[in-house]
Amino acid sequence: MARVNQTVFSCKRLNSSTYLIVENDRYEEHPFIYAKVVRSPAVLLLSDTGCGGGESSTPGPPSDTLRNFLETVPVADNGDKPLNPRKSTGGPTLSYLIICTHCHYDHILGIPSFRDACPAILASSNGKSFIEDDLPMHSLCLELNIPTPEYLISYWAEDMEKITYNDLPLGVQILHTPGHTPDELAWYDEAERHLYVGDSFYERVAVDKSYTQAIIFPKEGDIVVYMRSLEKLLSFVERENRGHHNSHVRIGCGHVTCSATDGLGLLKEVLKYFWDVIDGVIPVRESFERRREVYDLWQKDGDDRFSLMGPRRLVADARRLEHVMRARNPNLLSHPLFFQEAKSNRKPQPRDEHPDITRGSTKMSNFVPALVVVDMQEDFCQPNGSLAIAGGRELAPIINELLQESFVLKVATKDFHPPDHVSFDTSHPPPNNKPFESTVTVANPTNSADTKELALWPVHCVQGTPGAEIIEQIDITKIDVIMEKGRDKRVEMYSGFADMFGHKSEAASLDLGALMRGKGVTHVYTVGLAGDACVKCTAIDAQLEGFETYVVREATRSVDESQAGWGAAVKEFQERGIKVVSVDGPELARVKTVSGL
């Protein structure tokens, strides 16, 4: 990357919409800043802002801030034009949206230069207290004796949330990835198939071999939580790679690594490296005191791909809990990476030999239940619902009792259709538009040769109408997440996990399977409406996602309670290993025993 106009920033095109900006800063952090140009909505998305520019080992002009670079310095890969040129009025052409992958100084010191541009600033809702309670300490500005930038977070993003700007989708999804810091997040560019992971990890040696950088953990880090986040990222990338044999997800990091073409392979190597650190395979090369703790540098001899620097205490904690982590996470046990490579010389302990233990506020267990309340909406309930199911409203007391139990995650799904949804009878001309009788052929939006038959229904659960609301009898204060499904007018989405073609798409407001894996869920209990439609499909997809799945009979009603409807659903449950259980049965009694979750 050629440096231009004596600036401390250099820039090159990363993909069709995104540029990599590298800052040659005085702290020798060499932060990677990603700038994604979005035309609709008109916004420049910045992933972090670096160290502020100006003062550097390479002299630059006093006005050499990141904002000045973006608005005034020509970039060769952008036709010798600035990435966000100023208008005649002096303001930038595009508004700014800053995604803070975490709040360390080398990611936030550039924010003040954007103040009069009124940027939107996004951060992880998981790290709200970490950012707000003591930013000088948590940003490491206090340790470096430098001023802490003052800024306000405009939006606290939820895990797996898909981001909009001015009510328009950006094609960007947020993933909470705590561990390196509590507020760490990753974000996924769906169009470019590029995952940006902040400082969760990166390779050790710069491409031009001019410097090396270890993965650095602060004292607020947690390697146990971090390993779960790596597993979550691994599952996410595995899923996104399915069906894209020639276009695997790439990974960009906060330092050194900007576009790893085999993102899945990189994640597997990082996981193996950290297991090797935990198991003592990677030696300690250097030790020193920092922030009143002993820090170690773990690094192999030779040109190793990674190195790690952090408090010795964090690795010691992970070693003590390693056997519990393996007992808690079946995917961790069964992944061939751990059997064949990282753990080829030792058999894992059987899961049932390890008791539940509590570490801090997180209880680690191989039974982590979630409750999914399916479509308890006005249009599905009497007396006024357009697609009312007999006895649907009467389920509320039972469901509310279940919401009082200690499920680690309580999700409510809701149909949230556009007014011209493909399943509506009014969306099709007569005579083939009779609700409950007619069917239409629906094509897969990504493959027109793939088609399915779809039954037509009366208009129901239209976005912005009372019929789409969850009935008032349900205590929504006990629900953690409400997810919207069926938002794509082209396809039906009975399941809370995927549409009728098995896709995770814009038809849903979030990826329910990934959300559950991020919470460590092992068992899913489904209730609601309707047992022979959306409850059935949600339960089946939960099982396909790898969760042990139950349908609670007393908390479910069907469109057709006869043998042809609910009876057929039960038969399919049995064939797939899904259990229909009672509120008084042992399966739900087990939930009562985990009140510490």
Side-chain angles (χ1 to χ4, degrees):
M1 291 184 288
R3 184 168 283 110
V4 294
N5 291 6
Q6 297 297 312
T7 178
V8 299
F9 300 100
S10 55
C11 182
K12 71 173 184 180
R13 182 183 289 275
L14 191 65
N15 53 48
S16 65
S17 64
T18 308
Y19 296 81
L20 168 66
I21 300 169
V22 181
E23 181 181 358
N24 185 17
D25 61 295
R26 65 168 172 158
Y27 308 103
E28 298 185 344
E29 292 283 358
H30 309 282
F32 281 12
I33 302 160
Y34 299 96
K36 178 177 174 64
V37 178
V38 183
R39 296 303 178 189
S40 180
V43 64
L44 186 70
L45 187 158
L46 289 174
S47 183
D48 299 318
T49 61
C51 294
E55 296 179 88
S56 165
S57 57
T58 300
S63 61
D64 192 13
T65 64
L66 175 61
R67 182 180 173 190
N68 189 69
F69 174 82
L70 292 168
E71 297 178 9
T72 66
V73 177
V75 173
D77 284 356
N78 190 42
D80 286 324
K81 298 177 181 178
L83 295 186
N84 194 15
R86 290 174 181 166
K87 299 180 290 188
S88 58
T89 56
T93 302
L94 304 173
S95 300
Y96 289 105
L97 168 60
I98 299 171
I99 295 180
C100 294
T101 62
H102 65 295
C103 68
H104 279 173
Y105 70 97
D106 53 321
H107 296 256
I108 64 171
L109 287 179
I111 290 178
S113 68
F114 294 89
R115 186 170 294 127
D116 65 357
C118 300
I121 303 177
L122 179 152
S124 166
S125 64
N126 189 68
K128 187 173 183 180
S129 61
F130 183 73
I131 295 170
E132 292 186 335
D133 289 353
D134 195 343
L135 187 60
M137 176 180 289
H138 295 156
S139 66
L140 307 181
C141 289
L142 184 63
E143 179 184 359
L144 294 173
N145 195 29
I146 59 176
T148 305
E150 296 182 1
Y151 60 96
L152 293 176
I153 302 300
S154 312
Y155 190 76
W156 298 99
E158 297 296 330
D159 188 29
M160 307 309 299
E161 183 174 355
K162 295 186 177 182
I163 303 303
T164 61
Y165 187 85
N166 288 341
D167 295 324
L168 294 173
L170 286 173
V172 166
Q173 186 170 16
I174 302 298
L175 295 85
H176 290 179
T177 53
H180 166 252
T181 61
D183 67 322
E184 191 81 33
L185 65 77
W187 62 278
Y188 180 57
D189 185 334
E190 296 172 341
E192 303 290 0
R193 298 182 51 72
H194 212 119
L195 177 67
Y196 301 91
V197 299
D199 279 9
S200 285
F201 57 86
Y202 38 83
E203 294 165 291
R204 186 175 68 89
V205 183
V207 173
D208 63 1
K209 301 188 185 302
S210 61
Y211 63 92
T212 61
Q213 283 188 297
I215 300 169
I216 303 175
F217 270 66
K219 65 187 297 182
E220 297 86 3
D222 188 323
I223 288 179
V224 175
V225 173
Y226 174 81
M227 296 295 275
R228 292 186 214 140
S229 290
L230 288 184
E231 282 287 321
K232 172 182 175 178
L233 289 173
L234 184 69
S235 296
F236 181 86
V237 172
E238 283 179 332
R239 191 200 75 218
E240 290 297 323
N241 278 348
R242 291 174 195 153
H244 295 273
H245 302 296
N246 299 318
S247 177
H248 288 174
V249 171
R250 294 173 178 251
I251 286 181
C253 309
H255 304 271
V256 183
T257 307
C258 66
S259 186
T261 56
D262 181 10
L264 186 63
L266 177 61
L267 274 164
K268 288 180 178 179
E269 286 199 40
V270 174
L271 275 162
K272 183 181 185 301
Y273 177 83
F274 270 82
W275 276 119
D276 284 348
V277 169
I278 292 168
D279 287 348
V281 176
I282 309 294
V284 173
R285 291 298 174 198
E286 181 183 348
S287 300
F288 55 94
E289 184 175 341
R290 180 179 177 183
R291 298 178 71 191
R292 299 184 180 180
E293 291 222 32
V294 175
Y295 275 59
D296 289 331
L297 172 66
W298 288 267
Q299 185 176 316
K300 283 183 178 179
D301 291 329
D303 191 21
D304 202 25
R305 192 173 187 183
F306 311 103
S307 60
L308 170 66
M309 182 185 296
R312 181 179 298 171
R313 164 182 56 85
L314 301 185
V315 173
D317 287 347
R319 285 173 179 160
R320 282 194 294 269
L321 289 168
E322 176 189 357
H323 68 291
V324 179
M325 292 167 68
R326 291 183 175 279
R328 176 180 184 268
N329 192 334
N331 292 329
L332 202 61
L333 281 168
S334 62
H335 199 289
L337 178 68
F338 299 105
F339 269 132
Q340 299 172 14
E341 296 177 30
K343 288 298 171 187
S344 59
N345 61 341
R346 189 175 70 204
K347 293 182 179 180
Q349 295 292 322
R351 290 177 61 197
D352 58 1
E353 290 184 10
H354 299 291
D356 295 352
I357 73 163
T358 300
R359 180 177 184 273
S361 62
T362 303
K363 184 161 184 177
M364 310 181 79
S365 168
N366 55 10
F367 176 66
V368 184
L371 178 68
V372 182
V373 180
V374 179
D375 297 1
M376 289 295 294
Q377 294 167 267
E378 285 292 344
D379 268 346
F380 293 134
C381 292
Q382 297 171 332
N384 300 318
S386 63
L387 190 47
I389 296 165
R393 196 177 298 271
E394 286 69 34
L395 297 178
I398 301 172
I399 291 174
N400 286 338
E401 288 183 14
L402 293 171
L403 287 170
Q404 298 290 335
E405 300 295 346
S406 297
F407 293 96
V408 71
L409 180 66
K410 301 165 188 174
V411 179
T413 71
K414 56 187 293 188
D415 270 5
F416 204 63
H417 296 312
D420 54 350
H421 192 254
V422 68
S423 72
F424 294 167
D425 58 340
T426 55
S427 297
H428 305 277
N432 187 34
N433 66 343
K434 297 178 181 179
F436 307 107
E437 297 180 16
S438 299
T439 63
V440 293
T441 302
V442 178
N444 185 336
T446 63
N447 178 11
S448 59
D450 181 13
T451 62
K452 291 188 177 183
E453 289 299 302
L454 176 66
L456 295 186
W457 306 102
V459 175
H460 62 277
C461 301
V462 174
Q463 298 170 7
T465 66
E469 298 303 314
I470 294 175
I471 62 173
E472 63 180 4
Q473 289 81 9
I474 294 292
D475 185 1
I476 61 172
T477 65
K478 303 299 184 196
I479 292 170
D480 301 310
V481 176
I482 297 176
M483 68 137 331
E484 300 163 353
K485 59 186 179 70
R487 305 191 306 174
D488 187 337
K489 71 177 183 179
R490 302 170 296 174
V491 291
E492 182 59 281
M493 187 173 179
Y494 291 151
S495 165
F497 290 91
D499 67 25
M500 63 189 295
F501 294 100
H503 293 160
K504 311 285 184 79
S505 67
E506 293 292 339
S509 60
L510 57 83
D511 184 333
L512 186 53
L515 173 65
M516 288 184 173
R517 283 188 290 274
K519 298 288 187 181
V521 169
T522 58
H523 295 63
V524 173
Y525 294 75
T526 58
V527 300
L529 303 171
D532 52 350
C534 295
V535 172
K536 181 184 79 169
C537 292
T538 298
I540 289 171
D541 278 358
Q543 187 85 346
L544 291 174
E545 292 271 352
F547 305 113
E548 188 164 335
T549 305
Y550 307 101
V551 177
V552 183
R553 180 63 183 108
E554 296 93 333
T556 304
R557 291 290 182 273
S558 297
V559 176
D560 180 359
E561 286 283 342
S562 74
Q563 192 62 32
W566 171 247
V570 171
K571 182 179 179 182
E572 189 167 359
F573 293 152
Q574 292 170 343
E575 292 171 349
R576 293 177 176 272
I578 298 168
K579 297 179 181 178
V580 178
V581 301
S582 169
V583 291
D584 298 321
E587 296 85 1
L588 277 162
R590 190 179 184 192
V591 178
K592 299 178 186 295
T593 69
V594 290
S595 58
L597 277 170

